Amino acid sequence: MQLKEKYNLSDMLNEIEDDLLEQKKDVSQEKNIPQEIITEMMLSNLKAKKKKNN
């Protein structure tokens, strides 16, 4: 088997590291906030907006 194209391994490694850094930025899923709490917060926010608009 012969490769038709040679890949720059250092470029590939940099891309992988960049991807990992991007994934680390999104820590929202790591907080483990229960869905019930999220729902309560959303409902109270909606109620506050409704009161504000009336």
Side-chain angles (χ1 to χ4, degrees), residues 6-27:
K6 290 192 177 188
Y7 296 97
N8 186 331
L9 295 180
S10 64
D11 286 348
M12 290 175 68
L13 181 60
N14 286 336
E15 285 184 32
I16 292 170
E17 288 174 351
D18 287 347
D19 286 345
L20 289 173
L21 289 175
E22 283 296 317
Q23 290 175 12
K24 285 182 182 179
K25 288 179 186 177
D26 183 16
V27 294

PDB file of all heavy atoms in Angstrom, residues 6-27:
ATOM      1  N   LYS A   6       1.073  12.725   1.734  1.00  0.00           N
ATOM      2  CA  LYS A   6       1.759  12.671   3.025  1.00  0.00           C
ATOM      3  C   LYS A   6       1.130  13.708   3.936  1.00  0.00           C
ATOM      4  O   LYS A   6       0.853  14.827   3.518  1.00  0.00           O
ATOM      5  CB  LYS A   6       3.249  12.960   2.857  1.00  0.00           C
ATOM      6  CG  LYS A   6       3.982  11.849   2.144  1.00  0.00           C
ATOM      7  CD  LYS A   6       5.461  12.033   2.253  1.00  0.00           C
ATOM      8  CE  LYS A   6       6.118  10.841   1.569  1.00  0.00           C
ATOM      9  NZ  LYS A   6       7.545  10.820   1.787  1.00  0.00           N
ATOM     10  N   TYR A   7       0.900  13.311   5.160  1.00  0.00           N
ATOM     11  CA  TYR A   7       0.266  14.191   6.124  1.00  0.00           C
ATOM     12  C   TYR A   7       1.310  14.767   7.072  1.00  0.00           C
ATOM     13  O   TYR A   7       2.228  14.078   7.496  1.00  0.00           O
ATOM     14  CB  TYR A   7      -0.799  13.437   6.931  1.00  0.00           C
ATOM     15  CG  TYR A   7      -1.932  12.953   6.073  1.00  0.00           C
ATOM     16  CD1 TYR A   7      -1.972  11.655   5.590  1.00  0.00           C
ATOM     17  CD2 TYR A   7      -2.959  13.812   5.743  1.00  0.00           C
ATOM     18  CE1 TYR A   7      -3.012  11.218   4.793  1.00  0.00           C
ATOM     19  CE2 TYR A   7      -4.011  13.380   4.944  1.00  0.00           C
ATOM     20  CZ  TYR A   7      -4.025  12.085   4.478  1.00  0.00           C
ATOM     21  OH  TYR A   7      -5.068  11.668   3.694  1.00  0.00           O
ATOM     22  N   ASN A   8       1.118  16.018   7.406  1.00  0.00           N
ATOM     23  CA  ASN A   8       1.993  16.664   8.369  1.00  0.00           C
ATOM     24  C   ASN A   8       1.483  16.321   9.771  1.00  0.00           C
ATOM     25  O   ASN A   8       0.444  16.810  10.199  1.00  0.00           O
ATOM     26  CB  ASN A   8       1.991  18.175   8.130  1.00  0.00           C
ATOM     27  CG  ASN A   8       2.984  18.881   9.014  1.00  0.00           C
ATOM     28  OD1 ASN A   8       3.295  18.433  10.110  1.00  0.00           O
ATOM     29  ND2 ASN A   8       3.475  20.011   8.539  1.00  0.00           N
ATOM     30  N   LEU A   9       2.220  15.481  10.457  1.00  0.00           N
ATOM     31  CA  LEU A   9       1.749  14.990  11.753  1.00  0.00           C
ATOM     32  C   LEU A   9       1.686  16.091  12.804  1.00  0.00           C
ATOM     33  O   LEU A   9       0.800  16.082  13.659  1.00  0.00           O
ATOM     34  CB  LEU A   9       2.644  13.844  12.232  1.00  0.00           C
ATOM     35  CG  LEU A   9       2.599  12.580  11.371  1.00  0.00           C
ATOM     36  CD1 LEU A   9       3.525  11.522  11.953  1.00  0.00           C
ATOM     37  CD2 LEU A   9       1.191  12.040  11.271  1.00  0.00           C
ATOM     38  N   SER A  10       2.589  17.041  12.746  1.00  0.00           N
ATOM     39  CA  SER A  10       2.543  18.126  13.739  1.00  0.00           C
ATOM     40  C   SER A  10       1.290  18.979  13.534  1.00  0.00           C
ATOM     41  O   SER A  10       0.676  19.427  14.503  1.00  0.00           O
ATOM     42  CB  SER A  10       3.810  18.975  13.685  1.00  0.00           C
ATOM     43  OG  SER A  10       3.928  19.620  12.447  1.00  0.00           O
ATOM     44  N   ASP A  11       0.894  19.203  12.264  1.00  0.00           N
ATOM     45  CA  ASP A  11      -0.350  19.943  12.005  1.00  0.00           C
ATOM     46  C   ASP A  11      -1.557  19.167  12.516  1.00  0.00           C
ATOM     47  O   ASP A  11      -2.473  19.747  13.109  1.00  0.00           O
ATOM     48  CB  ASP A  11      -0.525  20.210  10.504  1.00  0.00           C
ATOM     49  CG  ASP A  11       0.404  21.299   9.998  1.00  0.00           C
ATOM     50  OD1 ASP A  11       1.018  22.007  10.831  1.00  0.00           O
ATOM     51  OD2 ASP A  11       0.522  21.428   8.758  1.00  0.00           O
ATOM     52  N   MET A  12      -1.543  17.881  12.309  1.00  0.00           N
ATOM     53  CA  MET A  12      -2.660  17.052  12.777  1.00  0.00           C
ATOM     54  C   MET A  12      -2.746  17.091  14.300  1.00  0.00           C
ATOM     55  O   MET A  12      -3.834  17.202  14.867  1.00  0.00           O
ATOM     56  CB  MET A  12      -2.504  15.614  12.285  1.00  0.00           C
ATOM     57  CG  MET A  12      -2.710  15.476  10.790  1.00  0.00           C
ATOM     58  SD  MET A  12      -2.391  13.812  10.187  1.00  0.00           S
ATOM     59  CE  MET A  12      -3.730  12.917  10.915  1.00  0.00           C
ATOM     60  N   LEU A  13      -1.601  17.020  14.963  1.00  0.00           N
ATOM     61  CA  LEU A  13      -1.572  17.070  16.425  1.00  0.00           C
ATOM     62  C   LEU A  13      -2.095  18.416  16.923  1.00  0.00           C
ATOM     63  O   LEU A  13      -2.871  18.475  17.881  1.00  0.00           O
ATOM     64  CB  LEU A  13      -0.155  16.822  16.931  1.00  0.00           C
ATOM     65  CG  LEU A  13       0.030  16.827  18.443  1.00  0.00           C
ATOM     66  CD1 LEU A  13      -0.814  15.744  19.100  1.00  0.00           C
ATOM     67  CD2 LEU A  13       1.484  16.644  18.798  1.00  0.00           C
ATOM     68  N   ASN A  14      -1.712  19.497  16.263  1.00  0.00           N
ATOM     69  CA  ASN A  14      -2.196  20.825  16.650  1.00  0.00           C
ATOM     70  C   ASN A  14      -3.708  20.919  16.506  1.00  0.00           C
ATOM     71  O   ASN A  14      -4.385  21.506  17.360  1.00  0.00           O
ATOM     72  CB  ASN A  14      -1.520  21.912  15.814  1.00  0.00           C
ATOM     73  CG  ASN A  14      -0.084  22.137  16.224  1.00  0.00           C
ATOM     74  OD1 ASN A  14       0.300  21.850  17.347  1.00  0.00           O
ATOM     75  ND2 ASN A  14       0.720  22.648  15.304  1.00  0.00           N
ATOM     76  N   GLU A  15      -4.243  20.363  15.449  1.00  0.00           N
ATOM     77  CA  GLU A  15      -5.690  20.385  15.253  1.00  0.00           C
ATOM     78  C   GLU A  15      -6.408  19.610  16.353  1.00  0.00           C
ATOM     79  O   GLU A  15      -7.445  20.039  16.856  1.00  0.00           O
ATOM     80  CB  GLU A  15      -6.049  19.813  13.888  1.00  0.00           C
ATOM     81  CG  GLU A  15      -5.748  20.748  12.752  1.00  0.00           C
ATOM     82  CD  GLU A  15      -6.197  20.199  11.408  1.00  0.00           C
ATOM     83  OE1 GLU A  15      -7.201  19.468  11.368  1.00  0.00           O
ATOM     84  OE2 GLU A  15      -5.538  20.517  10.403  1.00  0.00           O
ATOM     85  N   ILE A  16      -5.855  18.467  16.721  1.00  0.00           N
ATOM     86  CA  ILE A  16      -6.453  17.662  17.792  1.00  0.00           C
ATOM     87  C   ILE A  16      -6.425  18.437  19.103  1.00  0.00           C
ATOM     88  O   ILE A  16      -7.411  18.476  19.843  1.00  0.00           O
ATOM     89  CB  ILE A  16      -5.712  16.309  17.924  1.00  0.00           C
ATOM     90  CG1 ILE A  16      -5.985  15.453  16.686  1.00  0.00           C
ATOM     91  CG2 ILE A  16      -6.116  15.582  19.204  1.00  0.00           C
ATOM     92  CD1 ILE A  16      -5.132  14.210  16.594  1.00  0.00           C
ATOM     93  N   GLU A  17      -5.300  19.079  19.400  1.00  0.00           N
ATOM     94  CA  GLU A  17      -5.191  19.857  20.635  1.00  0.00           C
ATOM     95  C   GLU A  17      -6.169  21.026  20.633  1.00  0.00           C
ATOM     96  O   GLU A  17      -6.779  21.333  21.652  1.00  0.00           O
ATOM     97  CB  GLU A  17      -3.753  20.334  20.821  1.00  0.00           C
ATOM     98  CG  GLU A  17      -2.809  19.210  21.197  1.00  0.00           C
ATOM     99  CD  GLU A  17      -1.341  19.637  21.255  1.00  0.00           C
ATOM    100  OE1 GLU A  17      -1.015  20.764  20.833  1.00  0.00           O
ATOM    101  OE2 GLU A  17      -0.533  18.834  21.723  1.00  0.00           O
ATOM    102  N   ASP A  18      -6.322  21.684  19.485  1.00  0.00           N
ATOM    103  CA  ASP A  18      -7.294  22.775  19.378  1.00  0.00           C
ATOM    104  C   ASP A  18      -8.705  22.272  19.640  1.00  0.00           C
ATOM    105  O   ASP A  18      -9.496  22.919  20.331  1.00  0.00           O
ATOM    106  CB  ASP A  18      -7.238  23.433  18.000  1.00  0.00           C
ATOM    107  CG  ASP A  18      -5.996  24.287  17.804  1.00  0.00           C
ATOM    108  OD1 ASP A  18      -5.309  24.578  18.805  1.00  0.00           O
ATOM    109  OD2 ASP A  18      -5.730  24.655  16.646  1.00  0.00           O
ATOM    110  N   ASP A  19      -9.041  21.117  19.096  1.00  0.00           N
ATOM    111  CA  ASP A  19     -10.363  20.532  19.317  1.00  0.00           C
ATOM    112  C   ASP A  19     -10.589  20.251  20.799  1.00  0.00           C
ATOM    113  O   ASP A  19     -11.664  20.510  21.335  1.00  0.00           O
ATOM    114  CB  ASP A  19     -10.541  19.242  18.521  1.00  0.00           C
ATOM    115  CG  ASP A  19     -10.731  19.486  17.032  1.00  0.00           C
ATOM    116  OD1 ASP A  19     -11.002  20.649  16.646  1.00  0.00           O
ATOM    117  OD2 ASP A  19     -10.616  18.522  16.259  1.00  0.00           O
ATOM    118  N   LEU A  20      -9.573  19.710  21.450  1.00  0.00           N
ATOM    119  CA  LEU A  20      -9.701  19.411  22.875  1.00  0.00           C
ATOM    120  C   LEU A  20      -9.911  20.687  23.686  1.00  0.00           C
ATOM    121  O   LEU A  20     -10.721  20.715  24.613  1.00  0.00           O
ATOM    122  CB  LEU A  20      -8.461  18.665  23.375  1.00  0.00           C
ATOM    123  CG  LEU A  20      -8.317  17.225  22.901  1.00  0.00           C
ATOM    124  CD1 LEU A  20      -6.968  16.661  23.335  1.00  0.00           C
ATOM    125  CD2 LEU A  20      -9.438  16.352  23.421  1.00  0.00           C
ATOM    126  N   LEU A  21      -9.194  21.741  23.332  1.00  0.00           N
ATOM    127  CA  LEU A  21      -9.360  23.016  24.037  1.00  0.00           C
ATOM    128  C   LEU A  21     -10.761  23.569  23.831  1.00  0.00           C
ATOM    129  O   LEU A  21     -11.375  24.092  24.769  1.00  0.00           O
ATOM    130  CB  LEU A  21      -8.317  24.020  23.561  1.00  0.00           C
ATOM    131  CG  LEU A  21      -6.880  23.750  23.999  1.00  0.00           C
ATOM    132  CD1 LEU A  21      -5.925  24.756  23.356  1.00  0.00           C
ATOM    133  CD2 LEU A  21      -6.757  23.805  25.510  1.00  0.00           C
ATOM    134  N   GLU A  22     -11.293  23.467  22.628  1.00  0.00           N
ATOM    135  CA  GLU A  22     -12.648  23.941  22.345  1.00  0.00           C
ATOM    136  C   GLU A  22     -13.667  23.170  23.172  1.00  0.00           C
ATOM    137  O   GLU A  22     -14.619  23.733  23.684  1.00  0.00           O
ATOM    138  CB  GLU A  22     -12.978  23.808  20.856  1.00  0.00           C
ATOM    139  CG  GLU A  22     -12.366  24.866  19.995  1.00  0.00           C
ATOM    140  CD  GLU A  22     -12.887  26.262  20.308  1.00  0.00           C
ATOM    141  OE1 GLU A  22     -14.104  26.436  20.507  1.00  0.00           O
ATOM    142  OE2 GLU A  22     -12.061  27.182  20.357  1.00  0.00           O
ATOM    143  N   GLN A  23     -13.458  21.872  23.296  1.00  0.00           N
ATOM    144  CA  GLN A  23     -14.396  21.053  24.062  1.00  0.00           C
ATOM    145  C   GLN A  23     -14.334  21.405  25.542  1.00  0.00           C
ATOM    146  O   GLN A  23     -15.342  21.373  26.240  1.00  0.00           O
ATOM    147  CB  GLN A  23     -14.090  19.568  23.863  1.00  0.00           C
ATOM    148  CG  GLN A  23     -14.420  19.085  22.471  1.00  0.00           C
ATOM    149  CD  GLN A  23     -14.006  17.643  22.229  1.00  0.00           C
ATOM    150  OE1 GLN A  23     -13.667  16.923  23.163  1.00  0.00           O
ATOM    151  NE2 GLN A  23     -14.022  17.233  20.982  1.00  0.00           N
ATOM    152  N   LYS A  24     -13.154  21.738  26.038  1.00  0.00           N
ATOM    153  CA  LYS A  24     -13.022  22.083  27.453  1.00  0.00           C
ATOM    154  C   LYS A  24     -13.725  23.386  27.788  1.00  0.00           C
ATOM    155  O   LYS A  24     -14.130  23.598  28.914  1.00  0.00           O
ATOM    156  CB  LYS A  24     -11.540  22.183  27.834  1.00  0.00           C
ATOM    157  CG  LYS A  24     -10.858  20.851  27.974  1.00  0.00           C
ATOM    158  CD  LYS A  24      -9.416  21.006  28.406  1.00  0.00           C
ATOM    159  CE  LYS A  24      -8.754  19.647  28.487  1.00  0.00           C
ATOM    160  NZ  LYS A  24      -7.353  19.748  28.876  1.00  0.00           N
ATOM    161  N   LYS A  25     -13.857  24.281  26.804  1.00  0.00           N
ATOM    162  CA  LYS A  25     -14.507  25.562  27.057  1.00  0.00           C
ATOM    163  C   LYS A  25     -15.975  25.383  27.427  1.00  0.00           C
ATOM    164  O   LYS A  25     -16.530  26.171  28.161  1.00  0.00           O
ATOM    165  CB  LYS A  25     -14.401  26.463  25.825  1.00  0.00           C
ATOM    166  CG  LYS A  25     -13.013  27.000  25.592  1.00  0.00           C
ATOM    167  CD  LYS A  25     -12.987  27.870  24.348  1.00  0.00           C
ATOM    168  CE  LYS A  25     -11.583  28.308  24.007  1.00  0.00           C
ATOM    169  NZ  LYS A  25     -11.539  29.080  22.763  1.00  0.00           N
ATOM    170  N   ASP A  26     -16.606  24.339  26.915  1.00  0.00           N
ATOM    171  CA  ASP A  26     -18.016  24.099  27.202  1.00  0.00           C
ATOM    172  C   ASP A  26     -18.135  23.234  28.443  1.00  0.00           C
ATOM    173  O   ASP A  26     -18.252  22.023  28.369  1.00  0.00           O
ATOM    174  CB  ASP A  26     -18.707  23.435  26.012  1.00  0.00           C
ATOM    175  CG  ASP A  26     -20.189  23.231  26.246  1.00  0.00           C
ATOM    176  OD1 ASP A  26     -20.739  23.866  27.166  1.00  0.00           O
ATOM    177  OD2 ASP A  26     -20.799  22.442  25.517  1.00  0.00           O
ATOM    178  N   VAL A  27     -18.097  23.876  29.594  1.00  0.00           N
ATOM    179  CA  VAL A  27     -18.172  23.138  30.851  1.00  0.00           C
ATOM    180  C   VAL A  27     -19.596  23.091  31.397  1.00  0.00           C
ATOM    181  O   VAL A  27     -19.830  22.595  32.486  1.00  0.00           O
ATOM    182  CB  VAL A  27     -17.232  23.734  31.925  1.00  0.00           C
ATOM    183  CG1 VAL A  27     -15.778  23.560  31.525  1.00  0.00           C
ATOM    184  CG2 VAL A  27     -17.551  25.184  32.180  1.00  0.00           C
TER     185      VAL A  27
END
